[in-house]
Amino acid sequence: MNKNLEVLAAEVVERALKSTSQLHLIVTATDNDALLAEECLRQLAGNNLSHNDIAGLPAFVQTGVYRFESARRLLARRLGTLHLLRTHPVRCLVVSAPALMRVVPHPRWLKSFTHELQVGRDHDQDIILDQLLSLGYQSVQRVSQDLRRGRKA
């Protein structure tokens, strides 16, 4: 691991432990550097800072073969971090410069696209289907459970 990164992370952890009401921001040049810095912060903080005290905001810049496979995971992580920032006093945030440049939708806009489902509660499937169709999802026939796995001859 980069020695400069370790020194910076140790300094940020020390400051975060002293001041519980401030957000300490680390901005890196790349998403990869941001992931390394977040990992380093977590290691150095140990049990002194909770999982929610340290957050990383990915840029969601996808290129190459894996862009479609990891897009949902990155988007979920980005939205999860934004939610955490709204609901928890995060003490250390690691973000790359490309992530800072990404436009973040207003919370009211995001809320207009949410539908809360609760276990044990009845939900009108037609309303949920209409909402999904209005967001661009397409209705497809249900696949039967009689699928067989195997190789093509």
Side-chain angles (χ1 to χ4, degrees):
M1 191 171 294
N2 185 334
K3 270 295 187 211
N4 292 335
L5 181 59
E6 285 183 34
V7 171
L8 174 66
E11 187 179 312
V12 169
V13 168
E14 184 180 332
R15 287 182 184 175
L17 291 172
K18 288 180 182 175
S19 172
T20 60
S21 62
Q22 288 183 330
L23 172 66
H24 303 278
L25 179 66
I26 296 177
V27 180
T28 64
T30 66
D31 261 0
N32 192 45
D33 289 344
L35 285 172
L36 290 173
E38 182 183 354
E39 181 182 312
C40 188
L41 278 173
R42 291 190 187 283
Q43 288 176 356
L44 291 171
N47 294 331
N48 296 315
L49 294 174
S50 76
H51 181 73
N52 289 339
D53 285 333
I54 300 171
L57 186 66
F60 195 62
V61 175
Q62 292 292 290
T63 59
V65 177
Y66 300 104
R67 70 177 177 264
F68 300 112
E69 295 170 9
S70 63
R72 282 185 287 185
R73 186 172 30 91
L74 278 172
L75 182 58
R77 184 163 184 257
R78 186 169 172 83
L79 289 172
T81 299
L82 293 172
H83 176 72
L84 181 65
L85 288 168
R86 285 185 46 90
T87 60
H88 184 80
V90 173
R91 291 157 83 182
C92 302
L93 176 63
V94 183
V95 62
S96 67
L100 283 176
M101 301 303 292
R102 298 290 296 179
V103 175
V104 177
H106 195 279
R108 279 182 281 186
W109 181 83
L110 286 175
K111 190 170 177 81
S112 70
F113 290 101
T114 61
H115 183 85
E116 203 168 305
L117 301 176
Q118 295 177 349
V119 175
R121 187 171 158 211
D122 289 333
H123 299 280
D124 188 339
Q125 291 181 358
D126 292 331
I127 291 174
I128 295 171
L129 179 61
D130 288 343
Q131 288 176 336
L132 291 172
L133 291 173
S134 72
L135 293 172
Y137 286 87
Q138 295 179 1
S139 183
V140 295
Q141 294 293 326
R142 180 176 278 189
V143 178
S144 73
Q145 298 298 322
D146 299 338
L147 297 176
R148 298 185 189 273
R149 292 179 180 232
R151 292 192 326 185
K152 213 173 188 182

